[in-house]
Amino acid sequence: MSVATFDILLASLRSGLTFQDTTMRRSISPEERLLLTLRFLATGNSFASLHYEYLLGISTISGIVCHTCQLIWQRLREAVMPTPTADDWLRIADGFYQSSQFPNCIGALDGKHIRVKKPPHSGSQYFNFKQYFSIVLLALVDSNYRFIIVDIGAYGSTADARIFCSSRMGERLCANQLALPEPRRLPGSSASAAPFVIVADEGFALSPHVMRAFPRRDLDDRKRIFSYRLSRARRYVILANESAKCHPGDTGMCDFTQLHQDS
């Protein structure tokens, strides 16, 4: 991150990172709080490692990281990930049609397991089918690999389809509260108008607004071409989720345990 970008980010967060000095000790400055959090997010270093780098207590570091991350989300969510409007959905659909020749597509949906240390007293809630502990990043992505809507923090043992159905994104989609455009005809077709859809893999159930590929057996040319184009549209969420994975750091996993304890 450049110095100019850091200063811009600090200016938007300073009021929430400034605490009052007391007669016992001076508060930790907003600059150090933000720098510490960015260091943790960029490297994935453990709180014990950051304790030696910044000469702060491990529990203090845990509280600073948790508070700063929540503040970043609260202050920057509307600027970085605003709620899409009907015009935004149309722009996203046009982008998918130009890049993957799949019309009326408003996003690619998939879940990504983020490896974590087993939180205390959690049993098997975070243990996934890949035989490690994780939380799930469920993301809807456009054709420019940008996240449109995300749901973060579900148990690793929970299936993607179940996470989607119980998320605000899934509930609002089922209730037609996502401001989706009216159905429109497919390019070059004289048939009736088709709804706008999200493309996903076989783990998600079919619905009027969720589309997945055909089963791989006994496909004719039309079904094979349809599945190929849907897979081309779906690849954007796979690559975006890979780029958003937590940096492995020294241990190969996110140090989620202490954040879990404090929160």
Side-chain angles (χ1 to χ4, degrees):
M1 177 181 290
S2 66
V3 176
T5 304
F6 180 85
D7 290 340
I8 294 173
L9 181 59
L10 179 62
S12 62
L13 302 176
R14 181 179 292 277
S15 61
L17 296 177
T18 303
F19 292 84
Q20 185 176 2
D21 295 334
T22 66
T23 55
M24 300 293 294
R25 63 175 63 88
R26 297 178 59 185
S27 64
I28 301 173
S29 66
E31 290 82 359
E32 189 171 4
R33 288 174 177 271
L34 180 57
L35 185 62
L36 173 64
T37 302
L38 295 178
R39 177 72 173 177
F40 170 76
L41 296 176
T43 64
N45 287 351
S46 66
F47 292 155
S49 174
L50 296 173
H51 159 69
Y52 290 106
E53 292 182 29
Y54 291 89
L55 302 180
L56 296 172
I58 294 178
S59 60
T60 302
I61 293 174
S62 175
I64 289 174
V65 170
C66 186
H67 172 262
T68 306
C69 288
Q70 291 176 352
L71 186 65
I72 290 174
W73 175 253
Q74 293 170 2
R75 296 287 179 88
L76 302 183
R77 181 177 64 87
E78 289 300 327
V80 177
M81 198 177 296
T83 302
T85 63
D87 291 337
D88 294 329
W89 292 124
L90 289 173
R91 176 184 53 79
I92 293 170
D94 291 340
F96 272 105
Y97 184 65
Q98 293 176 5
S99 61
S100 58
Q101 289 73 56
F102 196 92
N104 286 21
C105 175
I106 57 172
L109 178 70
D110 199 9
K112 182 67 181 178
H113 287 274
I114 308 298
R115 188 187 295 265
V116 300
K117 290 182 179 179
K118 179 181 180 295
H121 313 296
S122 61
S124 60
Q125 288 179 322
Y126 293 90
F127 196 71
N128 63 33
F129 69 97
K130 298 181 180 180
Q131 306 299 307
Y132 61 83
F133 295 95
S134 66
I135 59 175
V136 179
L137 163 64
L138 185 68
L140 184 68
V141 177
D142 68 9
S143 60
N144 293 317
Y145 306 99
R146 292 183 298 191
F147 291 97
I148 308 169
I149 305 175
V150 295
D151 183 272
I152 306 170
Y155 297 135
S157 60
T158 309
D160 289 347
R162 183 176 177 183
I163 297 172
F164 176 68
C165 291
S166 60
S167 67
R168 290 188 61 192
M169 169 173 45
E171 291 174 351
R172 295 184 65 185
L173 181 65
C174 293
N176 293 322
Q177 295 177 351
L178 284 181
L180 299 183
E182 293 295 324
R184 68 179 180 183
R185 290 182 178 177
L186 301 181
S189 172
S190 58
S192 59
F196 287 83
V197 297
I198 293 170
V199 295
D201 61 18
E202 294 83 358
F204 295 87
L206 285 171
S207 74
H209 293 293
V210 178
M211 189 72 66
R212 67 184 192 186
F214 285 101
R216 300 181 182 181
R217 297 180 180 178
D218 303 326
L219 297 181
D220 56 24
D221 289 340
R222 293 176 65 252
K223 292 181 178 180
R224 187 177 294 108
I225 293 173
F226 172 87
S227 296
Y228 168 71
R229 291 191 178 182
L230 187 143
S231 298
R232 287 183 62 186
R234 200 174 65 82
R235 64 179 175 170
Y236 292 98
V237 69
I238 299 174
L239 297 176
N241 278 345
E242 285 294 333
S243 66
K245 284 180 64 177
C246 181
H247 193 285
D250 298 332
T251 61
M253 63 187 72
C254 299
D255 192 356
F256 180 69
T257 306
Q258 297 180 57
L259 285 176
H260 181 272
Q261 290 174 340
D262 280 11
S263 60

